[in-house]
Amino acid sequence: MIMKVIIEFIVIVIGIYLAFRLENTREENQLVKLEEKYIEQLLAEAKLNQVELQADQDARRVQVSYMRKLLDAQNRTVSADTLRTAINRLLMLRIYSPTDAVFQDLVSSGNLGIIKSDSVKQILMGYRQLLSRVPVTEGQDIRLVEEKIEPYLIRKQVLSLLNPFRGLDEIQTTNQQRDRIIRVLLDDREFIDLIYLRIEKIGNVIYFENPLQWSLNSLIQELEKELARFQD
């Protein structure tokens, strides 16, 4: 009788143990699948941001090259079409707006710890740190346009003539009129100094956002390694 009770007790204990093991295994498998899902989503998000940032940096470099054409026009002949395009680029603003829905979900849900790779987490945190500095650098460039360049053009009463709203019948400026305005502006030392400042500010944005690109590239490489590990 005692032996039967002991055997039944052992069977119950083994049953409970196996149930716990099965439950733990099931939960571990769910966590692994959830981690893989986050890795896939982080990778897709990082690639989107990489494309966006590259487009921004390329556009800024084109801006700088056009603004140098404005400066070149003081000493050599530059085509009127190029100068008109350069004026448009002088006032153009680019703002890096990354997608971060996956990261925010990881943080808000408390699932950031589910990412096991220390390298991924380290690079991700480094990228977020660099990202936090972007508004400061871009803000300096934005303020230059909004607080210096546009007010200057308004004071000269040419802003609406250089950049009229398309389809607005009240302001119709011919290319010849715009060309004359640009030539007058290029004879003004204050305008030249504003061009120099804009080149400097955009250059700063390019310089300080380069590490952001490197960080994104590293993050993508690490995420691809992690994803390959899941697929092996």
Side-chain angles (χ1 to χ4, degrees):
M1 183 70 178
I2 295 176
M3 183 59 66
K4 182 180 179 182
V5 172
I6 292 173
I7 291 172
E8 288 178 351
F9 177 75
I10 292 173
V11 170
I12 292 171
V13 169
I14 292 173
I16 293 172
Y17 171 75
L18 290 175
F20 272 118
R21 283 294 302 272
L22 287 172
E23 181 63 22
N24 287 339
T25 300
R26 187 179 68 83
E27 289 180 358
E28 287 173 3
N29 289 337
Q30 287 178 339
L31 288 175
V32 168
K33 289 180 180 178
L34 185 59
E35 182 187 7
E36 182 180 7
K37 176 186 173 185
Y38 274 122
I39 293 294
E40 289 176 343
Q41 291 177 344
L42 281 171
L43 179 58
E45 189 170 78
K47 286 182 175 179
L48 282 174
N49 291 335
Q50 182 188 46
V51 170
E52 178 67 23
L53 183 55
Q54 184 64 57
D56 284 349
Q57 292 288 75
D58 289 345
R60 292 185 186 106
R61 291 186 178 95
V62 171
Q63 271 186 282
V64 169
S65 68
Y66 270 106
M67 278 181 271
R68 291 188 184 279
K69 300 290 185 185
L70 288 172
L71 299 180
D72 289 344
Q74 298 176 94
N75 303 311
R76 66 181 182 85
T77 301
V78 178
S79 73
D81 287 342
T82 298
L83 292 178
R84 287 194 296 271
T85 302
I87 288 293
N88 290 335
R89 299 295 175 116
L90 176 65
L91 297 171
M92 188 177 77
L93 292 169
R94 296 281 303 200
I95 300 174
Y96 177 50
S97 302
T99 302
D100 66 347
V102 180
F103 177 80
Q104 294 300 334
D105 178 55
L106 274 170
V107 174
S108 62
S109 64
N111 284 331
L112 189 57
I114 206 172
I115 306 297
K116 292 185 174 62
S117 171
D118 290 334
S119 295
V120 168
K121 286 189 284 190
Q122 183 178 358
I123 296 171
L124 186 57
M125 292 300 105
Y127 166 73
R128 300 299 303 186
Q129 265 190 329
L130 291 169
L131 189 60
S132 67
R133 302 173 192 167
V134 167
V136 176
T137 309
E138 290 185 344
Q140 293 174 350
D141 183 42
I142 292 169
R143 285 193 296 275
L144 174 63
V145 173
E146 294 179 344
E147 298 175 6
K148 299 290 185 182
I149 298 177
E150 288 181 349
Y152 166 84
L153 294 174
I154 290 172
R155 191 170 71 249
K156 295 292 183 179
Q157 299 181 335
V158 297
L159 179 59
S160 60
L161 300 177
L162 290 173
N163 287 276
F165 288 109
R166 292 180 181 177
L168 189 63
D169 294 333
E170 289 79 1
I171 301 176
Q172 291 295 331
T173 310
T174 65
N175 284 339
Q176 290 75 15
Q177 288 174 308
R178 295 185 73 200
D179 293 342
R180 285 196 294 272
I181 293 169
I182 292 170
R183 283 195 295 271
V184 171
L185 291 174
L186 290 175
D187 286 333
D188 187 347
R189 189 66 227 178
E190 184 180 357
F191 183 65
I192 298 301
D193 285 342
L194 288 172
I195 297 172
Y196 272 112
L197 277 174
R198 187 81 210 275
I199 291 174
E200 179 189 1
K201 296 303 181 185
I202 294 177
N204 288 341
V205 175
I206 293 172
Y207 177 81
F208 284 109
E209 291 190 7
N210 276 337
L212 200 61
Q213 286 184 295
W214 304 333
S215 182
L216 268 177
N217 293 341
S218 297
L219 179 60
I220 289 170
Q221 290 174 5
E222 287 300 318
L223 289 170
E224 287 176 338
K225 288 179 186 176
E226 283 299 294
L227 197 57
R229 178 175 65 81
F230 284 108
Q231 295 169 351
D232 286 342

